[in-house]
Amino acid sequence: MTGETPAGNPRRAPDAGLPAETSGSAPHQSLRLSGERLSLIPERILVTGGTGFVGSHVTRRLRAGGPDAPVLRLFTHRRPTPGEDADARAVETVTGDLTDPRSLRGICDGVTTIVHMAVRIGGTEEQCRAVNTEGTRALLAEAERAGVRRFVHLGTAAVYRDEPHRGAAEGELVEEPSSSTSVTRLAAERSVLAAGGTVLRPHLVYGRGDTWVVPAIADLMGRLPHWVDGGRARISMISADALAGAVADLARLPELPAGQVLHASHPEPVTCRELITAVARALDVPPPEGEVTLDEAPALLGGADDPLVRRRLSLLTVDHWYDSSRLWKLVGAEPGPRPAETFERYASWYRDQRAARTGVVTGAEGTSTGMATGGAAAGPDAGATATVPVTVASNTFTSP
């Protein structure tokens, strides 16, 4: 496969903020094999990042595939693999380190499909590049050596230029990431696309295991208790359950759109007002009152000149919604009800996590304070810490 830009690959700003060695790297060869060889290989899926937020949901979905499901192989770094239920299929486990190509030797032997969700979020650009960019390239090289046929990579919509996005399809937006995390993730995505893999780009992901998106919204509500521009901005979201279903379905397809990006969100965006109202109801906290403009909001947060404050405000108060119809047509599945309608099913989990983090217990009987017991911290700092191991799956809100 040549290094030409494939159909469906988004537009790029010059170098898209990437280091010269990243934008000019040589492409990998296609991962596809001949039909004769494929017929002799049993289906085996290697999953990286299988213990993270999205990854743990994907792992459970793949393990629940029934007696005819492919064999599942989990790549682990430091974390233990998820416990197995009595009725669950056994999984294979391999260990390695994405920053050490020698440790990857043999992990792809007998594998037909790779689902790559491991990512480093936060840290220095060098640390992010070692895992996200070079680690992905090392995995691609090992996949090519072993004859892997399909490669599904969980990327992020944070690689796009920070500006209003209104129903854009794949290939219509300029890639111009603004953080070390997103710069190195884009470099990884480009390597996957050049190798003939498929990249999924969700925007905001919520659900059980989310330690950043909803906690960050709750934090914003506490610091800025006003509607920004009336809460009219529209936002693409997807539950971790729905995203895991789409990833698992893609991994089991006989053929994938080689070298292409697929947006991965619910087809119907939610408004900022719908989202914040749902979070306020779930956490039993007051909704915003009054209204400020987007230009006024950063100063009220004490970050008028802070690009990070402006970026995170933008994610919730400026239109960021995408056309994901290609994904749902490809997998032949329904994404389920709109996020605003399904959020309630996760409300009790978010309340428990908030109580564990802050000591504030909420629920039908109101709010009380005290020492909460059980559960780990789930705030922004905990979320950032939890994303350091290379087996942790993507959390798009933490990569502005």
Coordinates of all heavy atoms in Angstrom, one line a residue, residues 55-153:
G55 N -11.6 0.3 27.0 CA -11.0 -1.0 26.7 C -11.7 -2.1 27.5 O -11.9 -3.2 27.0
S56 N -12.0 -1.8 28.8 CA -12.6 -2.8 29.6 C -14.0 -3.2 29.1 O -14.4 -4.3 29.2 CB -12.7 -2.4 31.1 OG -13.4 -1.2 31.2
H57 N -14.7 -2.2 28.6 CA -16.0 -2.4 28.0 C -15.9 -3.3 26.7 O -16.7 -4.2 26.4 CB -16.7 -1.1 27.7 CG -17.2 -0.4 28.9 ND1 -18.5 -0.5 29.3 CD2 -16.6 0.5 29.7 CE1 -18.6 0.3 30.4 NE2 -17.5 0.9 30.6
V58 N -14.9 -3.0 25.9 CA -14.6 -3.7 24.7 C -14.3 -5.2 25.0 O -14.8 -6.1 24.4 CB -13.5 -3.1 23.8 CG1 -13.2 -4.0 22.6 CG2 -14.0 -1.7 23.3
T59 N -13.4 -5.4 26.0 CA -13.0 -6.7 26.4 C -14.2 -7.5 26.8 O -14.4 -8.7 26.4 CB -12.0 -6.6 27.5 OG1 -10.8 -5.9 27.1 CG2 -11.6 -8.0 28.0
R60 N -15.1 -7.0 27.6 CA -16.3 -7.7 28.0 C -17.2 -8.0 26.9 O -17.7 -9.1 26.8 CB -17.1 -6.9 29.1 CG -16.4 -6.9 30.5 CD -17.4 -6.3 31.5 NE -17.6 -4.9 31.3 CZ -16.8 -4.0 31.9 NH1 -15.8 -4.3 32.6 NH2 -17.1 -2.7 31.7
R61 N -17.3 -7.1 25.9 CA -18.2 -7.4 24.8 C -17.6 -8.5 23.9 O -18.3 -9.3 23.4 CB -18.3 -6.1 23.9 CG -19.3 -6.2 22.8 CD -20.7 -6.4 23.3 NE -21.2 -5.3 24.1 CZ -22.0 -4.3 23.6 NH1 -22.3 -4.4 22.3 NH2 -22.4 -3.4 24.4
L62 N -16.3 -8.5 23.7 CA -15.7 -9.5 22.9 C -15.8 -10.9 23.6 O -15.9 -11.9 22.9 CB -14.2 -9.2 22.6 CG -14.0 -8.0 21.6 CD1 -12.5 -7.7 21.5 CD2 -14.5 -8.5 20.2
R63 N -15.6 -10.9 24.9 CA -15.7 -12.2 25.6 C -17.1 -12.7 25.7 O -17.3 -13.9 25.9 CB -15.2 -11.9 27.1 CG -13.7 -11.7 27.2 CD -13.4 -11.3 28.6 NE -13.7 -12.4 29.5 CZ -13.8 -12.2 30.8 NH1 -13.6 -11.0 31.4 NH2 -14.1 -13.2 31.6
A64 N -18.1 -11.9 25.4 CA -19.5 -12.4 25.5 C -20.0 -12.8 24.1 O -21.2 -12.8 23.8 CB -20.4 -11.2 26.0
G65 N -19.1 -13.1 23.2 CA -19.5 -13.3 21.8 C -20.0 -14.7 21.5 O -20.4 -15.0 20.4
G66 N -20.1 -15.6 22.5 CA -20.7 -16.9 22.3 C -19.6 -17.9 21.9 O -18.4 -17.6 21.7
P67 N -20.0 -19.1 21.7 CA -19.1 -20.2 21.4 C -18.4 -20.1 20.1 O -17.3 -20.6 19.9 CB -20.0 -21.5 21.4 CG -21.4 -21.0 21.1 CD -21.4 -19.6 21.7
D68 N -18.9 -19.3 19.1 CA -18.2 -19.1 17.8 C -17.4 -17.9 17.8 O -16.9 -17.5 16.7 CB -19.3 -19.1 16.7 CG -20.1 -20.4 16.6 OD1 -19.5 -21.4 16.9 OD2 -21.3 -20.3 16.3
A69 N -17.2 -17.2 18.9 CA -16.5 -15.9 19.0 C -15.0 -16.2 18.7 O -14.5 -17.3 19.0 CB -16.7 -15.2 20.3
P70 N -14.3 -15.3 18.2 CA -12.8 -15.4 18.0 C -12.1 -15.6 19.4 O -12.6 -15.2 20.4 CB -12.4 -14.1 17.3 CG -13.6 -13.6 16.8 CD -14.7 -14.0 17.7
V71 N -11.0 -16.2 19.4 CA -10.1 -16.2 20.6 C -9.7 -14.8 20.9 O -9.3 -14.1 20.0 CB -8.9 -17.2 20.3 CG1 -8.0 -17.2 21.6 CG2 -9.4 -18.6 20.0
L72 N -9.7 -14.5 22.2 CA -9.3 -13.2 22.6 C -7.9 -13.2 23.3 O -7.7 -14.1 24.2 CB -10.4 -12.6 23.6 CG -10.1 -11.2 24.2 CD1 -10.1 -10.2 23.0 CD2 -11.2 -10.8 25.2
R73 N -7.0 -12.4 22.9 CA -5.7 -12.3 23.5 C -5.5 -10.9 24.0 O -5.6 -9.9 23.3 CB -4.6 -12.6 22.5 CG -3.2 -12.5 23.0 CD -2.2 -12.8 22.0 NE -2.3 -14.2 21.6 CZ -1.5 -14.8 20.6 NH1 -0.7 -14.0 19.9 NH2 -1.6 -16.0 20.3
L74 N -5.2 -10.7 25.3 CA -5.1 -9.4 26.0 C -3.6 -9.1 26.1 O -2.8 -9.9 26.7 CB -5.8 -9.4 27.3 CG -7.3 -9.5 27.3 CD1 -7.8 -9.4 28.8 CD2 -7.9 -8.5 26.4
F75 N -3.2 -7.9 25.6 CA -1.9 -7.4 25.9 C -1.8 -6.6 27.1 O -2.6 -5.7 27.3 CB -1.5 -6.5 24.7 CG -0.2 -5.8 24.9 CD1 1.1 -6.4 24.6 CD2 -0.2 -4.5 25.3 CE1 2.2 -5.7 24.8 CE2 1.0 -3.8 25.4 CZ 2.2 -4.4 25.2
T76 N -1.0 -7.0 28.1 CA -1.0 -6.3 29.4 C 0.4 -5.7 29.6 O 1.4 -6.2 29.1 CB -1.4 -7.2 30.5 OG1 -0.4 -8.2 30.7 CG2 -2.7 -7.8 30.3
H77 N 0.4 -4.7 30.5 CA 1.7 -4.0 30.8 C 2.0 -4.2 32.3 O 2.8 -5.0 32.7 CB 1.6 -2.5 30.4 CG 2.9 -1.8 30.7 ND1 4.1 -2.1 30.2 CD2 3.1 -0.7 31.5 CE1 5.0 -1.3 30.7 NE2 4.4 -0.4 31.4
R78 N 1.2 -3.5 33.1 CA 1.3 -3.7 34.6 C 0.0 -4.1 35.3 O 0.1 -4.7 36.3 CB 1.8 -2.3 35.2 CG 3.1 -1.9 34.7 CD 3.5 -0.5 35.2 NE 4.7 0.0 34.6 CZ 5.1 1.3 34.7 NH1 4.3 2.2 35.2 NH2 6.3 1.6 34.2
R79 N -1.1 -3.7 34.7 CA -2.4 -4.0 35.3 C -2.7 -5.5 35.2 O -2.4 -6.1 34.1 CB -3.5 -3.2 34.7 CG -3.4 -1.7 35.1 CD -4.6 -1.0 34.5 NE -4.8 0.3 35.1 CZ -5.8 1.1 34.9 NH1 -6.8 0.6 34.2 NH2 -5.9 2.3 35.4
P80 N -3.5 -6.0 36.1 CA -4.0 -7.4 35.9 C -5.1 -7.4 34.9 O -5.8 -6.3 34.7 CB -4.6 -7.8 37.3 CG -4.9 -6.4 38.0 CD -3.8 -5.5 37.4
T81 N -5.4 -8.5 34.3 CA -6.5 -8.6 33.3 C -7.8 -8.7 34.1 O -7.8 -9.1 35.2 CB -6.3 -9.8 32.4 OG1 -6.3 -10.9 33.2 CG2 -5.1 -9.7 31.6
P82 N -8.9 -8.3 33.5 CA -10.2 -8.3 34.2 C -10.5 -9.8 34.6 O -10.2 -10.7 33.9 CB -11.2 -7.8 33.1 CG -10.4 -7.1 32.1 CD -9.0 -7.7 32.1
G83 N -11.1 -9.9 35.8 CA -11.5 -11.2 36.2 C -12.5 -11.9 35.3 O -13.3 -11.2 34.6
E84 N -12.5 -13.2 35.2 CA -13.3 -13.9 34.3 C -14.6 -14.5 35.0 O -14.5 -14.9 36.2 CB -12.6 -15.1 33.7 CG -11.4 -14.7 32.8 CD -10.8 -15.9 32.1 OE1 -11.3 -17.0 32.3 OE2 -9.8 -15.7 31.4
D85 N -15.7 -14.3 34.4 CA -16.9 -14.9 34.9 C -16.9 -16.4 34.7 O -16.2 -16.9 33.8 CB -18.2 -14.3 34.3 CG -18.2 -12.8 34.5 OD1 -17.8 -12.3 35.6 OD2 -18.7 -12.0 33.6
A86 N -17.8 -17.1 35.4 CA -17.8 -18.5 35.3 C -18.2 -19.0 33.8 O -17.7 -20.0 33.4 CB -18.9 -19.1 36.3
D87 N -19.0 -18.2 33.2 CA -19.5 -18.6 31.8 C -18.7 -17.9 30.7 O -19.0 -18.1 29.6 CB -21.0 -18.2 31.7 CG -21.9 -19.0 32.6 OD1 -21.5 -20.1 33.0 OD2 -22.9 -18.4 33.0
A88 N -17.7 -17.1 31.1 CA -16.9 -16.4 30.1 C -15.9 -17.3 29.4 O -15.4 -18.2 30.0 CB -16.2 -15.2 30.7
R89 N -15.6 -17.0 28.2 CA -14.6 -17.7 27.5 C -13.2 -17.4 28.1 O -12.9 -16.3 28.5 CB -14.6 -17.3 26.0 CG -15.8 -17.8 25.2 CD -15.9 -17.1 23.9 NE -14.6 -17.2 23.1 CZ -14.3 -18.3 22.4 NH1 -15.1 -19.3 22.3 NH2 -13.1 -18.2 21.7
A90 N -12.3 -18.4 28.1 CA -11.0 -18.1 28.6 C -10.3 -17.1 27.6 O -10.6 -17.1 26.4 CB -10.2 -19.4 28.7
V91 N -9.4 -16.3 28.1 CA -8.6 -15.4 27.3 C -7.1 -15.7 27.4 O -6.7 -16.1 28.5 CB -8.9 -13.9 27.6 CG1 -10.4 -13.6 27.4 CG2 -8.5 -13.6 29.1
E92 N -6.4 -15.5 26.3 CA -5.0 -15.5 26.4 C -4.4 -14.2 26.9 O -5.0 -13.2 26.7 CB -4.4 -15.8 25.0 CG -5.0 -17.1 24.4 CD -4.5 -17.3 22.9 OE1 -3.9 -16.4 22.4 OE2 -4.8 -18.4 22.4
T93 N -3.3 -14.3 27.5 CA -2.6 -13.0 28.0 C -1.2 -13.0 27.5 O -0.5 -14.0 27.6 CB -2.7 -13.0 29.5 OG1 -4.1 -13.0 29.9 CG2 -2.1 -11.7 30.0
V94 N -0.8 -11.9 27.0 CA 0.6 -11.6 26.7 C 1.1 -10.3 27.3 O 0.3 -9.4 27.5 CB 0.9 -11.6 25.1 CG1 0.6 -12.9 24.5 CG2 0.0 -10.5 24.5
T95 N 2.3 -10.3 27.7 CA 2.8 -9.1 28.3 C 3.9 -8.4 27.5 O 4.6 -9.1 26.7 CB 3.4 -9.4 29.7 OG1 4.5 -10.3 29.5 CG2 2.4 -10.0 30.7
G96 N 4.0 -7.1 27.7 CA 5.0 -6.4 26.9 C 4.9 -4.9 27.2 O 4.2 -4.5 28.1
D97 N 5.7 -4.1 26.6 CA 5.8 -2.7 26.8 C 5.9 -2.0 25.4 O 6.8 -2.3 24.7 CB 7.1 -2.4 27.6 CG 7.2 -0.9 28.1 OD1 6.5 -0.1 27.4 OD2 7.9 -0.6 29.0
L98 N 5.0 -1.1 25.2 CA 5.0 -0.5 23.9 C 6.2 0.4 23.6 O 6.6 0.7 22.5 CB 3.7 0.4 23.7 CG 2.4 -0.3 23.5 CD1 1.2 0.6 23.5 CD2 2.4 -1.2 22.2
T99 N 6.9 0.8 24.7 CA 8.1 1.6 24.5 C 9.3 0.7 24.3 O 10.4 1.2 24.1 CB 8.3 2.5 25.7 OG1 8.6 1.6 26.9 CG2 7.1 3.4 26.0
D100 N 9.2 -0.6 24.3 CA 10.3 -1.6 24.1 C 9.9 -2.5 23.0 O 9.3 -3.6 23.2 CB 10.6 -2.3 25.4 CG 11.7 -3.3 25.2 OD1 12.4 -3.3 24.1 OD2 11.9 -4.1 26.2
P101 N 10.3 -2.2 21.7 CA 9.9 -3.1 20.6 C 10.3 -4.5 20.8 O 9.6 -5.4 20.3 CB 10.6 -2.4 19.4 CG 10.7 -1.0 19.8 CD 11.0 -1.0 21.3
R102 N 11.4 -4.8 21.4 CA 11.8 -6.2 21.6 C 10.8 -7.0 22.4 O 10.7 -8.2 22.2 CB 13.2 -6.2 22.3 CG 14.3 -5.7 21.4 CD 15.6 -5.6 22.2 NE 15.5 -4.7 23.4 CZ 16.4 -4.5 24.3 NH1 17.6 -5.1 24.1 NH2 16.2 -3.7 25.3
S103 N 10.1 -6.3 23.4 CA 9.2 -7.0 24.2 C 7.9 -7.4 23.4 O 7.1 -8.2 23.9 CB 8.8 -6.2 25.4 OG 7.9 -5.1 25.0
L104 N 7.7 -6.9 22.2 CA 6.5 -7.2 21.5 C 6.7 -8.4 20.6 O 5.7 -8.8 19.9 CB 6.1 -5.9 20.6 CG 6.0 -4.6 21.3 CD1 5.5 -3.5 20.4 CD2 4.9 -4.8 22.5
R105 N 7.9 -8.9 20.5 CA 8.2 -10.0 19.6 C 7.3 -11.2 19.9 O 7.3 -11.7 21.1 CB 9.6 -10.4 19.7 CG 10.1 -11.5 18.7 CD 10.1 -10.9 17.3 NE 10.6 -11.9 16.3 CZ 10.8 -11.7 15.0 NH1 10.6 -10.5 14.6 NH2 11.2 -12.7 14.2
G106 N 6.5 -11.6 19.0 CA 5.7 -12.8 19.1 C 4.3 -12.6 19.6 O 3.5 -13.5 19.6
I107 N 4.0 -11.4 20.1 CA 2.7 -11.2 20.7 C 1.6 -11.2 19.6 O 0.4 -11.5 20.0 CB 2.6 -9.9 21.5 CG1 2.6 -8.7 20.5 CG2 3.6 -9.8 22.6 CD1 2.3 -7.3 21.2
C108 N 1.9 -11.0 18.4 CA 0.9 -11.1 17.3 C 0.9 -12.4 16.5 O 0.1 -12.5 15.6 CB 1.2 -9.9 16.3 SG 1.1 -8.3 17.0
D109 N 1.7 -13.4 16.9 CA 1.7 -14.6 16.2 C 0.3 -15.3 16.3 O -0.2 -15.4 17.4 CB 2.7 -15.6 16.8 CG 4.2 -15.1 16.5 OD1 4.3 -14.2 15.7 OD2 5.1 -15.7 17.1
G110 N -0.2 -15.7 15.2 CA -1.5 -16.3 15.1 C -2.7 -15.4 15.3 O -3.9 -15.8 15.3
V111 N -2.4 -14.1 15.3 CA -3.5 -13.0 15.4 C -4.0 -12.6 14.1 O -3.2 -12.4 13.1 CB -3.0 -11.8 16.2 CG1 -3.9 -10.7 16.1 CG2 -2.7 -12.2 17.7
T112 N -5.3 -12.5 13.9 CA -5.9 -12.0 12.6 C -6.3 -10.6 12.7 O -6.3 -9.9 11.7 CB -7.1 -12.9 12.2 OG1 -8.0 -12.9 13.3 CG2 -6.7 -14.3 11.9
T113 N -6.6 -10.1 13.9 CA -7.1 -8.7 14.1 C -6.5 -8.1 15.4 O -6.4 -8.8 16.4 CB -8.7 -8.7 14.2 OG1 -9.2 -9.3 13.1 CG2 -9.2 -7.3 14.4
I114 N -6.1 -6.9 15.3 CA -5.7 -6.1 16.5 C -6.6 -5.0 16.7 O -7.0 -4.2 15.8 CB -4.3 -5.6 16.3 CG1 -3.2 -6.7 16.2 CG2 -3.9 -4.6 17.4 CD1 -1.8 -6.2 15.9
V115 N -7.0 -4.8 18.0 CA -7.8 -3.7 18.5 C -6.9 -2.9 19.4 O -6.6 -3.4 20.5 CB -9.1 -4.1 19.2 CG1 -9.9 -2.9 19.7 CG2 -10.0 -4.9 18.2
H116 N -6.4 -1.8 18.9 CA -5.4 -1.0 19.6 C -6.0 0.2 20.3 O -6.4 1.1 19.7 CB -4.3 -0.6 18.6 CG -3.2 0.1 19.2 ND1 -2.6 -0.1 20.5 CD2 -2.4 1.2 18.8 CE1 -1.6 0.7 20.7 NE2 -1.5 1.5 19.7
M117 N -6.1 0.1 21.7 CA -6.6 1.2 22.5 C -5.7 1.7 23.5 O -6.1 2.6 24.3 CB -7.9 0.7 23.1 CG -9.0 0.3 22.1 SD -10.5 -0.5 22.9 CE -9.8 -2.1 23.5
A118 N -4.5 1.2 23.6 CA -3.5 1.7 24.6 C -3.0 3.1 24.2 O -2.8 3.4 23.0 CB -2.4 0.7 24.7
V119 N -2.9 4.0 25.2 CA -2.6 5.3 24.9 C -2.0 6.0 26.2 O -2.3 5.6 27.3 CB -3.8 6.2 24.5 CG1 -4.8 6.3 25.6 CG2 -3.4 7.5 24.0
R120 N -1.0 6.9 26.0 CA -0.5 7.7 27.1 C -1.2 9.1 27.0 O -1.1 9.7 26.0 CB 1.0 7.9 27.0 CG 1.5 9.0 27.9 CD 2.4 8.4 29.0 NE 2.7 9.5 30.0 CZ 3.5 9.3 31.0 NH1 4.2 8.1 31.1 NH2 3.7 10.2 31.9
I121 N -1.9 9.5 28.1 CA -2.5 10.8 28.1 C -1.8 11.6 29.2 O -1.8 11.2 30.4 CB -4.0 10.7 28.4 CG1 -4.7 10.0 27.3 CG2 -4.6 12.0 28.6 CD1 -6.1 9.7 27.4
G122 N -1.2 12.7 28.8 CA -0.5 13.6 29.8 C 0.9 13.2 29.9 O 1.4 12.2 29.3
G123 N 1.7 14.1 30.5 CA 3.1 13.9 30.6 C 3.8 14.7 29.5 O 3.2 15.6 28.8
T124 N 5.1 14.5 29.4 CA 5.9 15.3 28.4 C 5.6 14.8 27.0 O 5.1 13.7 26.8 CB 7.4 15.2 28.7 OG1 7.8 13.9 28.5 CG2 7.7 15.6 30.1
E125 N 6.0 15.7 26.0 CA 5.8 15.2 24.6 C 6.6 14.0 24.3 O 6.2 13.1 23.6 CB 6.1 16.4 23.7 CG 5.9 16.0 22.2 CD 5.9 17.2 21.3 OE1 5.8 18.3 21.8 OE2 6.0 17.0 20.1
E126 N 7.8 13.9 24.9 CA 8.7 12.8 24.7 C 8.0 11.5 25.3 O 8.1 10.5 24.6 CB 10.0 13.0 25.4 CG 11.0 11.9 25.2 CD 12.3 12.1 25.9 OE1 12.5 13.2 26.5 OE2 13.2 11.2 25.8
Q127 N 7.4 11.6 26.4 CA 6.8 10.4 27.0 C 5.6 10.0 26.2 O 5.3 8.8 26.0 CB 6.3 10.8 28.5 CG 7.5 10.9 29.4 CD 7.0 11.4 30.8 OE1 6.1 12.3 30.9 NE2 7.6 10.9 31.9
C128 N 4.8 11.0 25.7 CA 3.6 10.7 24.9 C 4.1 10.1 23.6 O 3.5 9.1 23.1 CB 2.8 11.9 24.6 SG 1.9 12.6 26.1
R129 N 5.1 10.6 23.0 CA 5.6 10.1 21.7 C 6.1 8.7 21.8 O 5.9 7.8 21.0 CB 6.7 11.0 21.1 CG 7.1 10.5 19.7 CD 8.2 11.4 19.1 NE 7.8 12.7 18.9 CZ 8.2 13.8 19.6 NH1 9.1 13.7 20.5 NH2 7.7 15.0 19.3
A130 N 6.8 8.4 22.9 CA 7.3 7.0 23.1 C 6.2 6.0 23.1 O 6.4 4.9 22.6 CB 8.1 7.0 24.5
V131 N 5.1 6.3 23.7 CA 4.0 5.3 23.8 C 3.1 5.4 22.6 O 2.8 4.5 21.8 CB 3.2 5.5 25.1 CG1 1.9 4.6 25.1 CG2 4.0 5.2 26.3
N132 N 2.6 6.6 22.4 CA 1.5 6.8 21.4 C 2.0 6.7 19.9 O 1.4 6.0 19.1 CB 0.9 8.2 21.5 CG 0.2 8.4 22.9 OD1 -0.1 7.4 23.6 ND2 0.0 9.6 23.3
T133 N 3.1 7.3 19.6 CA 3.6 7.3 18.2 C 4.5 6.1 18.0 O 4.2 5.2 17.2 CB 4.4 8.6 17.9 OG1 3.5 9.7 18.2 CG2 4.8 8.6 16.5
E134 N 5.6 6.1 18.7 CA 6.6 5.0 18.5 C 6.1 3.6 18.9 O 6.4 2.6 18.3 CB 7.9 5.3 19.2 CG 8.6 6.6 18.7 CD 8.7 6.7 17.2 OE1 9.0 5.7 16.6 OE2 8.7 7.8 16.7
G135 N 5.3 3.6 20.0 CA 4.7 2.3 20.4 C 3.8 1.8 19.4 O 3.8 0.6 19.2
T136 N 2.9 2.6 18.8 CA 2.0 2.2 17.8 C 2.8 1.7 16.6 O 2.4 0.7 16.0 CB 1.0 3.3 17.4 OG1 0.3 3.6 18.5 CG2 0.1 2.9 16.3
R137 N 3.8 2.4 16.2 CA 4.6 2.0 15.0 C 5.3 0.6 15.3 O 5.4 -0.3 14.4 CB 5.7 3.0 14.7 CG 5.1 4.3 14.1 CD 6.1 5.3 13.9 NE 5.6 6.5 13.3 CZ 6.2 7.7 13.2 NH1 7.4 7.8 13.7 NH2 5.6 8.7 12.6
A138 N 5.8 0.4 16.5 CA 6.4 -0.9 16.9 C 5.4 -2.0 16.8 O 5.7 -3.1 16.3 CB 7.0 -0.8 18.3
L139 N 4.1 -1.7 17.3 CA 3.1 -2.7 17.2 C 2.7 -3.0 15.7 O 2.5 -4.2 15.4 CB 1.9 -2.2 18.0 CG 0.7 -3.2 18.0 CD1 1.1 -4.5 18.7 CD2 -0.5 -2.5 18.8
L140 N 2.6 -2.0 14.9 CA 2.4 -2.2 13.5 C 3.4 -3.0 12.8 O 3.1 -3.9 12.0 CB 2.3 -0.8 12.8 CG 1.0 0.0 13.0 CD1 1.2 1.4 12.5 CD2 -0.2 -0.7 12.3
A141 N 4.7 -2.8 13.2 CA 5.8 -3.6 12.6 C 5.7 -5.0 13.0 O 5.9 -5.9 12.2 CB 7.1 -3.0 13.0
E142 N 5.3 -5.3 14.3 CA 5.2 -6.7 14.7 C 4.0 -7.3 14.1 O 4.0 -8.5 13.7 CB 5.1 -6.7 16.2 CG 4.9 -8.1 16.8 CD 6.0 -9.1 16.5 OE1 7.1 -8.6 16.1 OE2 5.8 -10.3 16.6
A143 N 2.9 -6.5 13.9 CA 1.7 -7.0 13.2 C 2.0 -7.4 11.8 O 1.6 -8.5 11.3 CB 0.6 -6.0 13.2
E144 N 2.8 -6.6 11.1 CA 3.2 -6.9 9.7 C 4.0 -8.2 9.6 O 3.8 -9.0 8.8 CB 3.9 -5.7 9.1 CG 4.3 -6.0 7.6 CD 5.0 -4.8 7.1 OE1 5.1 -3.7 7.7 OE2 5.6 -4.9 6.0
R145 N 5.0 -8.3 10.6 CA 5.8 -9.5 10.6 C 5.0 -10.8 10.8 O 5.3 -11.8 10.2 CB 6.8 -9.4 11.7 CG 7.9 -10.5 11.8 CD 8.5 -10.6 13.1 NE 7.5 -11.0 14.2 CZ 7.1 -12.3 14.3 NH1 7.5 -13.3 13.5 NH2 6.2 -12.6 15.3
A146 N 4.0 -10.7 11.7 CA 3.2 -11.8 12.0 C 2.0 -12.1 11.0 O 1.3 -13.1 11.1 CB 2.6 -11.7 13.4
G147 N 1.8 -11.2 10.0 CA 0.8 -11.4 9.1 C -0.6 -11.1 9.5 O -1.6 -11.7 9.1
V148 N -0.7 -10.1 10.4 CA -2.1 -9.7 10.9 C -2.8 -9.0 9.7 O -2.3 -8.3 8.9 CB -1.9 -8.7 12.1 CG1 -3.3 -8.1 12.5 CG2 -1.3 -9.3 13.3
R149 N -4.1 -9.3 9.7 CA -4.9 -8.9 8.5 C -5.6 -7.5 8.8 O -5.8 -6.7 7.9 CB -5.9 -9.9 8.2 CG -6.9 -9.6 7.0 CD -7.6 -10.8 6.4 NE -8.5 -11.4 7.4 CZ -9.8 -11.2 7.4 NH1 -10.3 -10.4 6.5 NH2 -10.5 -11.8 8.3
R150 N -6.2 -7.3 10.0 CA -7.0 -6.2 10.3 C -6.4 -5.4 11.5 O -6.0 -6.1 12.5 CB -8.4 -6.6 10.5 CG -9.1 -7.1 9.3 CD -10.4 -7.8 9.6 NE -10.2 -9.0 10.5 CZ -11.0 -10.0 10.6 NH1 -12.1 -10.1 9.9 NH2 -10.8 -11.0 11.4
F151 N -6.5 -4.1 11.5 CA -6.0 -3.3 12.6 C -7.0 -2.2 12.9 O -7.3 -1.3 12.0 CB -4.7 -2.7 12.2 CG -3.8 -2.2 13.4 CD1 -2.7 -2.9 13.8 CD2 -4.2 -1.0 14.1 CE1 -2.0 -2.5 14.9 CE2 -3.4 -0.6 15.1 CZ -2.3 -1.3 15.5
V152 N -7.7 -2.2 14.0 CA -8.7 -1.2 14.4 C -8.0 -0.4 15.5 O -7.6 -0.9 16.6 CB -10.0 -1.9 15.0 CG1 -10.9 -0.8 15.4 CG2 -10.6 -2.7 13.9
H153 N -7.9 0.9 15.3 CA -7.3 1.8 16.3 C -8.3 2.8 16.8 O -9.0 3.5 16.1 CB -6.1 2.5 15.6 CG -5.4 3.5 16.4 ND1 -4.7 3.1 17.5 CD2 -5.2 4.8 16.3 CE1 -4.1 4.2 18.1 NE2 -4.4 5.2 17.4

